[in-house]
Amino acid sequence: MSFSERDIPDLTARKAIVTGATGGLGYETARMLAQHGADVVLVGRSADKGAAARSKLLAIAPAARVDFERVDLGSLGSVADFAARMHADGTPIDILVNNAGVMTPPTRQTTADGFELQFGTNYLSHFALTAHLLPLLRAAAQPRVVSLGSVAARAGRIDFDDLQSARDYKPMEAYSQSKLACVMFALSLHRRSLAAGWGITSIAAHPGVSRTDLLHNAPGRTSLSGLVRTYLWFLFQPVAQGALPQVYAATASDAASGSYVGPTSLGETRGAVGPARLPAEADDQRVADRLWQVSEELTKVHY
């Protein structure tokens, strides 16, 4: 499979929402979509970063409609408020990229709703957001939902006895669980869309190991992983390259619903876009169905 920015189709008049879009993978994803004609909604926590990202994008793609929406994905109330604003606007949503995430804070933190920060932000907020936006997605001609996984998902396990890592918090284990949950959500959404006739293409994608600020922002620049990111930067592929799998999933005509894509070289850490190796537990439908039920209970949203 060969896919580059040149292969992105014309997206004129299509509306795309990208979470975590003020920097890193989210910004590069939004940039590529905007440069190919999409009307893009940048979702992020910081109004200042949002304004800067919007200005930067409009300088690159002056003909695009680029809006910023301040949303705290650590708050289900903020997610619901944003969805209400999108419903008030009424425009069908063609592309939803569930990209935002936090990675391995050294101590256990919680969201506004009391969830472990990584599980709540990376997974539950996007589960709830997609549910809230489902009518607008179904109103689009060929809607797509892209959920961001990670190579770390391979080591993940859904621990129903301690989903919030309250008894035993290990940063990477919690992160891996949250990213495995994102991959499982993408597959479950695919199955449920087929069964219910929603017409939604749901794909999981991961960026390999990319030069983002996740390791600097969460574990910190002086942590071991932060120091690796700073001084061994050449081991990490450029952010734009890391964003290509999710852009492929969001736009390519041959991107299949229910698939998982990512880089294909050096253990899927970098390289050309192609099929990714599915984490072992991700294809366990009994676990996936239980996770879906628990997620509806925790977020109090229903599909």
Side-chain angles (χ1 to χ4, degrees), residues 209-211 215-216 224-237 270:
V209 179
S210 301
R211 227 171 280 160
L215 293 174
H216 285 158
L224 177 59
S225 54
L227 291 171
V228 169
R229 166 66 182 85
T230 298
Y231 294 107
L232 299 179
W233 57 268
F234 50 86
L235 298 178
F236 297 72
Q237 66 177 350
R270 61 197 304 114

Side-chain angles (χ1 to χ4, degrees), residues 9 128-129 176 182 194 211 213 227 248 303:
L129 176 62
S176 297
C182 291
L194 281 178
R211 227 171 280 160
D213 287 331
L227 291 171
Y248 167 82
Y303 280 72

Side-chain angles (χ1 to χ4, degrees), residues 83-169:
R85 296 195 296 273
M86 294 299 98
H87 279 282
D89 175 76
T91 305
I93 297 168
D94 300 277
I95 298 169
L96 171 62
V97 182
N98 290 323
N99 164 83
V102 293
M103 184 178 183
T104 59
T107 58
R108 185 179 183 273
Q109 301 176 40
T110 58
T111 68
D113 305 284
F115 306 127
E116 187 276 317
L117 185 65
Q118 297 174 94
F119 192 73
T121 303
N122 299 353
Y123 169 62
L124 287 174
S125 66
H126 288 121
F127 180 92
L129 176 62
T130 307
H132 287 309
L133 296 179
L134 192 64
L136 294 176
L137 286 160
R138 293 184 62 189
Q142 295 179 309
R144 295 195 187 193
V145 176
V146 180
S147 299
L148 197 66
S150 167
V151 290
R154 295 177 195 163
R157 184 177 69 87
I158 305 299
D159 184 359
F160 289 107
D161 294 326
D162 193 21
L163 269 180
Q164 309 303 332
S165 305
R167 291 201 303 266
D168 185 21
Y169 176 71

Side-chain angles (χ1 to χ4, degrees), residues 150-156 176 180 206 267-269 277-280:
S150 167
V151 290
R154 295 177 195 163
S176 297
L180 172 61
H206 79 79
E268 298 185 9
T269 61
R277 180 159 60 93
L278 202 63

